[in-house]
Every structure is written in structure tokens, then in C-alpha cells.
Amino acid sequence: MSVCIAPVHAEVWQGTGQVVSGPGTGAAVSLTVDYDGQKLKALSGPPLEGSQVRIDQQGDVLELTIFRGNQVVKYRLKRVAPGGETPKGNPQEQSRRPSPAARIFSPNSG
């Protein structure tokens, strides 16, 4: 008996955030990420390497809190495309996943 497990495909999330403490407090920052429920990769905006990231996914909304040194940035991102596709806005039909508990991790480079 063999078991075949399909890989989880990452999805593209996009939105803005605000620097809530540290250098640049009050500034708005845009971010686009690729996220598959396990790995997070910045596609545009500030790099995530060297940061600690708290992730809370609620349906089609991904809330990120990024801690880098004494700077904290909070983002609210929306799902815009399955992974590997160019973001085209919000598709009318979007897959739904149960929301995992918020977690904190440090993104790996590469």
C-alpha cells in the first residue's frame, strides 16, 4: 500500500502595514508574501530574514506582526492569488482553509 501526499501550494498575500514602534513609527509599508501555511517568503516590500514573525490567518486575511530589533510592524494582508501566479486582485472564488492558531517563527533565508 502506498500513500501519495500532494504538496501544499503557497498563495500570494498582499496588503499594507504600519510601523507601530521603533524607527519609522507611524509609517505605512506595503508587503506581498508567498505563504503556504508553513513557509513565508517576501515577494516585495521589506525582507523578512532576520525577523521574528507572528502569523494569524483568519480565512482570506493574514495578519502579520514583524519584530526586527526594536521595530514592530503590523500588517493586514489579503489573499490575491494562488502561489506562482501574478497577483490580479481578489478572485471571486477563493479556497478556504481552517484558521490555524497564531504562531511565531523566524523565516529562513532562501
Side-chain angles (χ1 to χ4, degrees), residues 10-98:
E11 296 176 333
V12 177
W13 302 78
Q14 190 172 55
T16 58
Q18 185 171 15
V19 179
V20 295
S21 69
T25 298
V29 187
S30 294
L31 181 66
T32 302
V33 298
D34 201 30
Y35 179 62
D36 67 2
Q38 298 294 319
K39 295 181 182 176
L40 181 70
K41 178 181 177 186
L43 299 176
S44 69
L48 300 176
E49 291 79 16
S51 302
Q52 198 172 47
V53 182
R54 179 180 187 271
I55 298 175
D56 186 14
Q57 181 180 348
Q58 300 295 323
D60 291 334
V61 175
L62 190 66
E63 293 181 351
L64 303 180
T65 304
I66 298 177
F67 305 90
R68 179 179 291 139
N70 65 345
Q71 186 183 53
V72 178
V73 184
K74 291 190 176 191
Y75 291 93
R76 185 172 175 88
L77 310 177
K78 295 204 177 195
R79 183 182 297 142
V80 294
E85 291 185 15
T86 304
K88 300 173 188 169
N90 290 328
Q92 290 185 2
E93 299 267 338
Q94 297 176 341
S95 63
R96 296 232 177 232
R97 274 189 274 188

